[in-house]
C-alpha cells in the first residue's frame, strides 16, 4: 500500500510527494485496504469531531425540551429544510402550497435551491421507506462525518496528523456548527468538495472532476470547487511549462476533469434559465430573493451597524466578528505556509462569494463555514500548545458554540 504525504514547508507542495511505503495494492481489495488505512489514521480526529458535535446537539435537545419543541423539527423542519423537503417530495418545478413562504420571490421560487441534496433524499427515502425528514437529517449527519474525514485527509497531507486533528475539532465548534447537523446542503457540499480537493492533491483528476460536478449541482457556492479544480489543473500545467516540474502532467485527464467539473453548476443554472425563458433566469430568481452580488458594500454597511447602532443583537455581533476574523485568518493562511493551490482557491472563492454578496447578512457564518482552511492558523497554534491550554481552549469554545447554536434556534428569529 502506498500513501503520499505533501510537505507544506516547500513551495507548491501540492506537487511534491513522498511515498511512505513500498508495495502497491490494486483492484477493489487494494482500494478497500487503503480506505480502511486512511479511516484508521483519521479515527481519533473523527471521534473528537463527533463528540464535540454531539455536545452541541445535546445542548440543543435540552433547550428544545424546555421550549416544548421536537428536536427533529429543529434539525429538519425549519427554514431552508422546508424547501429541500418540498423538492424531495414534489420535484423541482412544483410550486409550494399557498400561502407559500417564498411567495415574495414569485412562482417556482423553490428553484433557487440546487437539486442534488433533495434528490438524494428523495431516492434514499424510496429505497429505505423511511420518512423524508428522517432521511434528510440522516444524510446530513452522515455527510458531515464524511466531510470531517475529508478535512482530516487534506490537512494531514499538508501539515500532518496533529494539525489535522485540531482542524477537525475546530470545525466541529465554529459559530454555525449546528448547521452541520441540519437538513441543509452544507454538509454534503463540503463532503464532495473536500474529497475533490484531496483527489487533486493525489492527482486523481477524473475523480476530482466528477466530485466537483456533483458539488456544483449541490448549492450555488459549488462554483468555488469547480474553479478550484479547473484552476489547479491549469496551474500544474503552467508550472510544468515553466520548468518548475520535472514530470509532465496528465494533460488529458486534467482537460477531461476541467470539462466535467463545471457541468453540474452550469447545467442547473441553464436549466432554471430555460424554465423561466431567459438566460439569466437563475440570477433574476436570486435577485427576487434579495440575494445579489455587490462586491461587499452591503457587508461593510452591516459591519458599520455593529459599532454605530444601539440595538445590535447578539447574532449581529457574532456574525460581524466571524466576518472580521475570517478575513484576518485568510491573510494569515496566505502569508504563512500557504496551502496547495486547490485548497487556497477554494477558500478564496468561498470568501469572495460569502462576503461579496448582498442580503442575508445573518447567514454569512453559514456561508463562510465551508472555508475550513481558514482554521489552519488556529490548528497550527494548538498543535504547538500545551495540553492544558488545548483542553481549556477547546472546552470553552465548545461550550460557547453549543450555547450559541441554541440561541440561533430558540432566541434568534431568522434563518441561521
Amino acid at each position: 500500500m502506498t500513501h503520499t504525504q505533501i510537505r507544506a514547508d516547500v513551495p507548491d507542495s501540492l506537487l511534491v510527494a513522498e511515498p511512505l511505503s513500498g508495495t502497491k495494492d490494486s483492484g477493489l481489495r487494494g482500494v478497500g485496504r487503503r480506505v480502511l488505512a486512511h479511516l484508521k489514521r483519521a479515527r481519533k480526529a473523527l471521534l473528537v469531531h463527533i463528540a464535540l458535535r454531539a455536545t452541541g446537539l445535546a445542548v440543543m435537545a435540552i433547550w428544545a425540551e424546555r421550549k416544548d419543541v421536537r428536536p427533529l423539527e429543529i434539525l429538519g423542519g425549519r427554514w431552508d429544510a422546508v424547501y429541500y423537503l418540498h423538492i424531495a417530495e414534489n420535484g423541482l418545478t412544483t410550486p409550494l402550497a399557498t400561502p407559500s413562504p417564498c411567495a415574495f420571490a414569485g412562482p417556482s421560487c423553490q428553484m433557487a435551491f440546487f437539486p442534488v441534496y433533495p434528490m438524494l433524499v428523495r431516492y434514499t427515502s424510496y429505497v429505505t421507506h423511511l420518512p423524508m425528514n428522517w432521511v434528510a437529517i440522516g444524510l446530513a449527519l452522515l455527510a458531515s462525518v464524511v466531510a470531517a474525514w475529508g478535512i482530516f485527509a487534506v490537512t494531514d497531507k499538508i501539515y500532518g496528523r496533529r494539525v489535522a486533528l485540531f482542524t477537525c475539532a475546530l470545525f466541529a465548534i465554529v459559530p454555525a456548527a449546528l448547521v452541520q447537523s441540519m437538513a441543509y446542503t452544507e454538509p454534503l457540499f463540503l463532503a464532495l468538495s473536500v474529497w475533490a480537493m484531496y483527489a487533486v492533491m493525489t492527482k486523481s483528476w477524473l475523480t476530482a472532476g466528477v466530485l466537483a460536478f456533483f458539488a456544483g449541482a449541490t448549492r450555488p457556492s459549488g462554483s468555488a470547487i469547480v474553479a478550484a479544480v479547473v484552476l489547479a489543473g491549469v496551474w500544474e500545467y503552467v508550472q510544468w511549462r515553466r520548468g518548475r516540474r520535472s514530470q509532465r502532467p496528465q494533460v488529458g485527464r486534467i482537460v477531461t476533469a476541467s470539462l466535467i467539473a463545471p457541468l453540474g453548476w452550469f447545467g442547473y443554472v441553464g436549466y432554471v434559465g430555460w424554465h423561466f425563458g431567459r438566460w439569466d433566469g437563475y440570477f433574476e430568481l436570486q435577485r427576487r430573493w434579495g440575494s445579489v452580488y455587490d462586491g461587499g458594500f452591503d457587508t461593510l454597511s452591516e459591519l458599520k451597524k455593529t459599532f454605530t447602532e444601539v440595538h445590535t443583537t447578539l447574532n449581529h455581533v457574532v456574525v460581524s466578528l466571524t466576518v472580521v476574523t475570517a478575513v484576518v485568518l485568510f491573510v494569515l493562511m496566505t502569508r504563512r505556509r500557504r496551502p496547495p493551490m486547490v485548497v487556497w482557491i477554494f477558500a478564496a472563492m468561498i470568501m469572495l462569494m460569502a462576503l461579496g454578496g448582498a442580503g442575508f447578512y445573518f447567514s454569512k457564518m453559514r456561508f463562510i463555514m465551508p472555508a475550513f482552511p481558514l482554521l489552519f492558523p488556529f490548528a497550527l497554534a494548538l498543535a504547538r500548545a500545551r495540553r492544558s491550554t488545548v483542553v481549556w481552549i477547546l472546552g470553552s469554545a465548545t461550550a460557547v458554540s453549543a450555547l450559541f447554536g441554541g440561541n440561533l434556534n430558540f432566541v434568534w428569529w431568522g434563518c441561521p
Side-chain angles (χ1 to χ4, degrees), residues 84 90 98 110-111 148 248 256 296 309 316 333 366 368 399 416:
Y84 295 126
N90 305 289
T98 305
Q110 76 285 345
M111 294 185 73
R248 189 177 190 273
T256 303
E309 293 191 2
H316 202 140
M333 181 194 73
R366 173 164 59 90
I368 294 172

Side-chain angles (χ1 to χ4, degrees), residues 31 51-52 95 103 106 110 147 149 154 217 220 231 241 264 284 293 322 345 348:
V31 171
L52 295 178
Q110 76 285 345
W149 182 13
V154 168
L231 293 177
R241 290 288 296 178
E284 171 61 20
Y293 193 85
T322 301
I345 293 174

Side-chain angles (χ1 to χ4, degrees), residues 97-112:
T98 305
S100 167
C102 64
F104 59 88
S108 300
C109 54
Q110 76 285 345
M111 294 185 73

Side-chain angles (χ1 to χ4, degrees), residues 232-262:
V234 172
W235 178 253
E236 181 165 350
Y237 180 77
V238 168
Q239 292 295 88
W240 173 72
R241 290 288 296 178
R242 290 179 175 178
R244 298 178 182 177
R245 301 287 183 268
S246 58
Q247 185 176 2
R248 189 177 190 273
Q250 302 168 315
V251 176
R253 289 176 179 265
I254 291 174
V255 171
T256 303
S258 299
L259 293 175
I260 293 172

Side-chain angles (χ1 to χ4, degrees), residues 41-50 152 161 164-165 168-169:
R41 184 173 177 84
R43 178 180 57 189
K44 184 177 179 180
L46 292 180
L47 289 175
V48 170
H49 177 89
I50 292 170
F152 176 89
R161 185 189 298 188
L165 184 150
C168 281

Side-chain angles (χ1 to χ4, degrees), residues 356-413:
F360 298 97
Y361 181 74
F362 299 107
S363 296
K364 289 194 184 293
M365 292 182 299
R366 173 164 59 90
F367 297 159
I368 294 172
M369 186 177 65
F372 72 92
L374 299 179
L375 299 172
F376 289 164
F378 277 143
L380 286 164
L382 287 175
R384 296 189 296 267
R386 293 180 299 179
R387 177 173 296 184
S388 59
T389 303
V390 169
V391 171
W392 186 87
I393 290 175
L394 289 182
S396 301
T398 300
V400 171
S401 174
L403 291 171
F404 183 68
N407 179 277
L408 277 178
N409 280 282
F410 300 106
V411 178
W412 176 245
W413 52 267

Side-chain angles (χ1 to χ4, degrees), residues 62 173 217 344:
I62 294 170
I173 53 176
W344 186 88

Side-chain angles (χ1 to χ4, degrees), residues 165-189:
L165 184 150
F166 286 120
T167 304
C168 281
L170 290 168
F171 187 73
I173 53 176
V174 293
L178 186 62
V179 174
Q180 298 172 29
S181 306
M182 297 174 68
Y184 274 45
T185 54
E186 276 79 6
L188 179 60
F189 165 66

